[in-house]
CSV table of all heavy atoms in Angstrom, one decimal:
chain,number,residue,atom,x,y,z
A,299,PHE,N,160.1,150.2,115.8
A,299,PHE,CA,160.6,150.9,114.5
A,299,PHE,C,159.6,151.9,114.0
A,299,PHE,O,159.9,153.0,113.5
A,299,PHE,CB,160.9,149.8,113.5
A,299,PHE,CG,161.3,150.4,112.2
A,299,PHE,CD1,162.6,150.9,112.0
A,299,PHE,CD2,160.4,150.4,111.1
A,299,PHE,CE1,163.0,151.4,110.8
A,299,PHE,CE2,160.8,150.9,109.9
A,299,PHE,CZ,162.1,151.5,109.7
A,300,TYR,N,158.3,151.5,114.1
A,300,TYR,CA,157.2,152.4,113.6
A,300,TYR,C,157.3,153.8,114.4
A,300,TYR,O,157.1,154.8,113.8
A,300,TYR,CB,155.9,151.8,113.8
A,300,TYR,CG,154.7,152.7,113.5
A,300,TYR,CD1,154.4,152.9,112.1
A,300,TYR,CD2,154.0,153.3,114.5
A,300,TYR,CE1,153.3,153.7,111.8
A,300,TYR,CE2,152.9,154.1,114.2
A,300,TYR,CZ,152.6,154.3,112.8
A,300,TYR,OH,151.5,155.1,112.5
A,301,GLN,N,157.6,153.7,115.7
A,301,GLN,CA,157.6,154.9,116.5
A,301,GLN,C,158.8,155.8,116.3
A,301,GLN,O,158.7,157.0,116.3
A,301,GLN,CB,157.5,154.6,118.0
A,301,GLN,CG,156.3,153.8,118.5
A,301,GLN,CD,156.2,153.6,119.9
A,301,GLN,OE1,156.5,154.5,120.8
A,301,GLN,NE2,156.0,152.3,120.3
A,302,VAL,N,159.9,155.2,116.0
A,302,VAL,CA,161.2,155.9,115.9
A,302,VAL,C,161.6,156.2,114.4
A,302,VAL,O,162.5,156.9,114.1
A,302,VAL,CB,162.3,155.2,116.6
A,302,VAL,CG1,162.9,154.0,115.7
A,302,VAL,CG2,163.4,156.1,117.0
A,303,GLU,N,160.8,155.6,113.5
A,303,GLU,CA,161.1,155.8,112.0
A,303,GLU,C,161.2,157.2,111.6
A,303,GLU,O,162.2,157.6,110.8
A,303,GLU,CB,160.0,155.0,111.2
A,303,GLU,CG,160.3,155.0,109.7
A,303,GLU,CD,159.3,154.3,108.9
A,303,GLU,OE1,158.2,154.0,109.5
A,303,GLU,OE2,159.6,154.0,107.7
A,304,PRO,N,160.3,158.1,112.0
A,304,PRO,CA,160.4,159.5,111.5
A,304,PRO,C,161.8,160.2,111.9
A,304,PRO,O,162.4,160.9,111.1
A,304,PRO,CB,159.3,160.3,112.2
A,304,PRO,CG,158.3,159.2,112.4
A,304,PRO,CD,159.1,158.0,112.7
A,305,LYS,N,162.2,159.9,113.1
A,305,LYS,CA,163.5,160.5,113.5
A,305,LYS,C,164.7,159.9,112.8
A,305,LYS,O,165.6,160.6,112.4
A,305,LYS,CB,163.7,160.3,115.0
A,305,LYS,CG,164.9,160.9,115.6
A,305,LYS,CD,165.0,160.8,117.1
A,305,LYS,CE,166.2,161.6,117.7
A,305,LYS,NZ,166.2,161.6,119.2
A,306,LEU,N,164.6,158.6,112.5
A,306,LEU,CA,165.7,157.9,111.8
A,306,LEU,C,165.8,158.4,110.3
A,306,LEU,O,166.9,158.7,109.8
A,306,LEU,CB,165.5,156.4,111.8
A,306,LEU,CG,165.5,155.7,113.1
A,306,LEU,CD1,165.2,154.2,113.0
A,306,LEU,CD2,166.9,155.8,113.8
A,307,ASN,N,164.6,158.6,109.7
A,307,ASN,CA,164.6,159.1,108.3
A,307,ASN,C,165.1,160.5,108.2
A,307,ASN,O,165.8,160.9,107.3
A,307,ASN,CB,163.2,159.0,107.8
A,307,ASN,CG,162.7,157.6,107.6
A,307,ASN,OD1,163.5,156.7,107.4
A,307,ASN,ND2,161.4,157.4,107.5
A,308,ALA,N,164.7,161.3,109.2
A,308,ALA,CA,165.2,162.7,109.2
A,308,ALA,C,166.7,162.9,109.3
A,308,ALA,O,167.3,163.8,108.8
A,308,ALA,CB,164.5,163.5,110.4
A,309,GLN,N,167.3,161.9,110.0
A,309,GLN,CA,168.7,162.0,110.2
A,309,GLN,C,169.5,161.0,109.4
A,309,GLN,O,170.7,160.8,109.5
A,309,GLN,CB,169.1,161.7,111.7
A,309,GLN,CG,168.4,162.7,112.6
A,309,GLN,CD,168.7,162.5,114.1
A,309,GLN,OE1,167.9,162.9,114.9
A,309,GLN,NE2,169.8,161.8,114.4
A,310,SER,N,168.8,160.3,108.4
A,310,SER,CA,169.4,159.4,107.4
A,310,SER,C,170.2,158.3,108.1
A,310,SER,O,171.3,158.0,107.8
A,310,SER,CB,170.3,160.2,106.5
A,310,SER,OG,169.6,161.2,105.8
A,311,ILE,N,169.5,157.7,109.1
A,311,ILE,CA,170.2,156.6,109.9
A,311,ILE,C,169.4,155.3,109.6
A,311,ILE,O,168.2,155.2,109.6
A,311,ILE,CB,170.1,156.9,111.4
A,311,ILE,CG1,171.0,158.1,111.7
A,311,ILE,CG2,170.6,155.7,112.2
A,311,ILE,CD1,170.9,158.6,113.1
A,312,LYS,N,170.2,154.2,109.4
A,312,LYS,CA,169.6,152.9,109.0
A,312,LYS,C,169.6,152.1,110.3
A,312,LYS,O,170.5,152.0,111.0
A,312,LYS,CB,170.5,152.3,108.0
A,312,LYS,CG,170.0,150.9,107.6
A,312,LYS,CD,171.0,150.3,106.6
A,312,LYS,CE,170.5,148.8,106.2
A,312,LYS,NZ,171.5,148.2,105.2
A,313,LEU,N,168.4,151.4,110.5
A,313,LEU,CA,168.2,150.5,111.6
A,313,LEU,C,168.2,149.1,111.1
A,313,LEU,O,167.4,148.7,110.2
A,313,LEU,CB,166.9,150.8,112.3
A,313,LEU,CG,166.5,149.8,113.4
A,313,LEU,CD1,167.6,149.9,114.6
A,313,LEU,CD2,165.1,150.2,114.0
A,314,GLU,N,169.1,148.3,111.5
A,314,GLU,CA,169.2,146.9,111.2
A,314,GLU,C,168.7,146.0,112.3
A,314,GLU,O,169.2,146.1,113.4
A,314,GLU,CB,170.6,146.5,110.8
A,314,GLU,CG,171.2,147.2,109.6
A,314,GLU,CD,172.6,146.8,109.3
A,314,GLU,OE1,173.1,145.9,110.0
A,314,GLU,OE2,173.2,147.4,108.4
A,315,ILE,N,167.7,145.1,112.0
A,315,ILE,CA,167.2,144.2,113.0
A,315,ILE,C,167.7,142.8,112.8
A,315,ILE,O,167.5,142.2,111.7
A,315,ILE,CB,165.6,144.2,113.0
A,315,ILE,CG1,165.1,145.6,113.3
A,315,ILE,CG2,165.1,143.2,114.0
A,315,ILE,CD1,163.6,145.7,113.2
A,316,LYS,N,168.6,142.3,113.7
A,316,LYS,CA,169.2,141.0,113.5
A,316,LYS,C,168.6,140.1,114.6
A,316,LYS,O,169.2,139.8,115.6
A,316,LYS,CB,170.7,141.1,113.8
A,316,LYS,CG,171.4,142.1,112.8
A,316,LYS,CD,172.9,142.2,113.1
A,316,LYS,CE,173.6,143.2,112.2
A,316,LYS,NZ,175.1,143.3,112.5
A,317,SER,N,167.5,139.6,114.3
A,317,SER,CA,166.8,138.7,115.2
A,317,SER,C,165.8,137.8,114.5
A,317,SER,O,165.1,138.2,113.6
A,317,SER,CB,166.0,139.6,116.2
A,317,SER,OG,165.2,138.8,117.1
A,318,ASP,N,165.8,136.5,114.9
A,318,ASP,CA,164.8,135.6,114.5
A,318,ASP,C,163.5,135.8,115.4
A,318,ASP,O,163.6,136.5,116.4
A,318,ASP,CB,165.3,134.1,114.7
A,318,ASP,CG,166.5,133.8,113.9
A,318,ASP,OD1,166.6,134.4,112.8
A,318,ASP,OD2,167.3,133.0,114.3
A,319,THR,N,162.5,135.3,114.9
A,319,THR,CA,161.2,135.4,115.7
A,319,THR,C,161.3,134.6,116.9
A,319,THR,O,161.4,133.3,116.9
A,319,THR,CB,160.0,135.0,114.8
A,319,THR,OG1,159.9,135.8,113.7
A,319,THR,CG2,158.7,135.1,115.6
A,320,GLN,N,161.3,135.3,118.1
A,320,GLN,CA,161.4,134.6,119.4
A,320,GLN,C,160.3,135.0,120.3
A,320,GLN,O,159.8,136.1,120.2
A,320,GLN,CB,162.8,135.0,120.0
A,320,GLN,CG,164.0,134.5,119.3
A,320,GLN,CD,165.3,135.0,119.9
A,320,GLN,OE1,165.3,136.0,120.5
A,320,GLN,NE2,166.3,134.2,119.6
A,321,GLN,N,159.8,134.1,121.1
A,321,GLN,CA,158.7,134.4,122.0
A,321,GLN,C,159.2,135.1,123.3
A,321,GLN,O,160.2,134.6,123.9
A,321,GLN,CB,158.0,133.0,122.4
A,321,GLN,CG,156.7,133.2,123.1
A,321,GLN,CD,155.6,133.7,122.1
A,321,GLN,OE1,155.8,133.5,120.9
A,321,GLN,NE2,154.5,134.2,122.7
A,322,LEU,N,158.6,136.2,123.6
A,322,LEU,CA,158.9,136.9,124.8
A,322,LEU,C,157.7,137.0,125.8
A,322,LEU,O,156.5,136.9,125.3
A,322,LEU,CB,159.3,138.4,124.5
A,322,LEU,CG,160.5,138.5,123.5
A,322,LEU,CD1,160.7,140.0,123.2
A,322,LEU,CD2,161.7,137.9,124.0
A,323,TYR,N,157.9,137.1,127.0
A,323,TYR,CA,156.8,137.3,128.0
A,323,TYR,C,157.2,138.6,128.8
A,323,TYR,O,157.8,138.6,129.8
A,323,TYR,CB,156.7,136.1,128.9
A,323,TYR,CG,155.5,136.1,129.8
A,323,TYR,CD1,154.2,135.8,129.2
A,323,TYR,CD2,155.5,136.4,131.1
A,323,TYR,CE1,153.1,135.8,130.0
A,323,TYR,CE2,154.4,136.4,131.9
A,323,TYR,CZ,153.2,136.1,131.3
A,323,TYR,OH,152.0,136.1,132.1
A,324,VAL,N,156.7,139.7,128.3
A,324,VAL,CA,157.0,141.0,128.8
A,324,VAL,C,155.7,141.9,128.8
A,324,VAL,O,154.7,141.5,128.3
A,324,VAL,CB,158.1,141.7,128.0
A,324,VAL,CG1,159.4,140.9,128.2
A,324,VAL,CG2,157.7,141.8,126.6
A,325,ASP,N,155.9,143.1,129.3
A,325,ASP,CA,154.8,144.1,129.1
A,325,ASP,C,155.1,144.9,127.8
A,325,ASP,O,156.1,145.6,127.8
A,325,ASP,CB,154.8,145.1,130.3
A,325,ASP,CG,153.6,146.1,130.2
A,325,ASP,OD1,153.6,146.8,129.3
A,325,ASP,OD2,152.8,146.0,131.1
A,326,PRO,N,154.4,144.7,126.8
A,326,PRO,CA,154.7,145.2,125.5
A,326,PRO,C,154.8,146.7,125.5
A,326,PRO,O,155.7,147.3,124.8
A,326,PRO,CB,153.6,144.7,124.6
A,326,PRO,CG,153.0,143.6,125.2
A,326,PRO,CD,153.2,143.8,126.7
A,327,HIS,N,153.9,147.4,126.2
A,327,HIS,CA,153.9,148.9,126.2
A,327,HIS,C,155.2,149.4,126.8
A,327,HIS,O,155.9,150.3,126.2
A,327,HIS,CB,152.7,149.4,127.0
A,327,HIS,CG,152.8,150.9,127.3
A,327,HIS,ND1,152.6,151.8,126.3
A,327,HIS,CD2,153.0,151.6,128.4
A,327,HIS,CE1,152.7,153.0,126.8
A,327,HIS,NE2,153.0,152.9,128.1
A,328,TRP,N,155.5,149.0,128.0
A,328,TRP,CA,156.7,149.6,128.8
A,328,TRP,C,158.0,149.1,128.2
A,328,TRP,O,158.9,149.9,128.1
A,328,TRP,CB,156.6,149.2,130.2
A,328,TRP,CG,155.6,150.0,131.0
A,328,TRP,CD1,154.4,149.5,131.4
A,328,TRP,CD2,155.6,151.4,131.3
A,328,TRP,NE1,153.7,150.5,132.0
A,328,TRP,CE2,154.4,151.7,132.0
A,328,TRP,CE3,156.6,152.4,131.1
A,328,TRP,CZ2,154.2,153.0,132.5
A,328,TRP,CZ3,156.3,153.6,131.6
A,328,TRP,CH2,155.1,153.9,132.2
A,329,LEU,N,158.1,147.9,127.7
A,329,LEU,CA,159.4,147.4,127.1
A,329,LEU,C,159.6,148.2,125.8
A,329,LEU,O,160.7,148.5,125.4
A,329,LEU,CB,159.4,145.9,126.9
A,329,LEU,CG,160.7,145.4,126.4
A,329,LEU,CD1,161.8,145.7,127.3
A,329,LEU,CD2,160.6,143.9,126.2
A,330,ALA,N,158.5,148.4,125.0
A,330,ALA,CA,158.6,149.1,123.8
A,330,ALA,C,159.1,150.5,124.0
A,330,ALA,O,159.9,151.1,123.3
A,330,ALA,CB,157.3,149.1,123.0
Side-chain angles (χ1 to χ4, degrees):
F299 177 74
Y300 175 78
Q301 297 183 51
V302 80
E303 184 179 15
K305 185 172 184 177
L306 296 176
N307 292 337
Q309 299 178 206
S310 301
I311 295 176
K312 180 183 178 181
L313 175 63
E314 297 181 1
I315 299 177
K316 303 178 179 179
S317 173
D318 298 329
T319 300
Q320 296 173 333
Q321 193 73 16
L322 305 176
Y323 192 74
V324 295
D325 187 298
H327 168 74
W328 285 107
L329 186 58

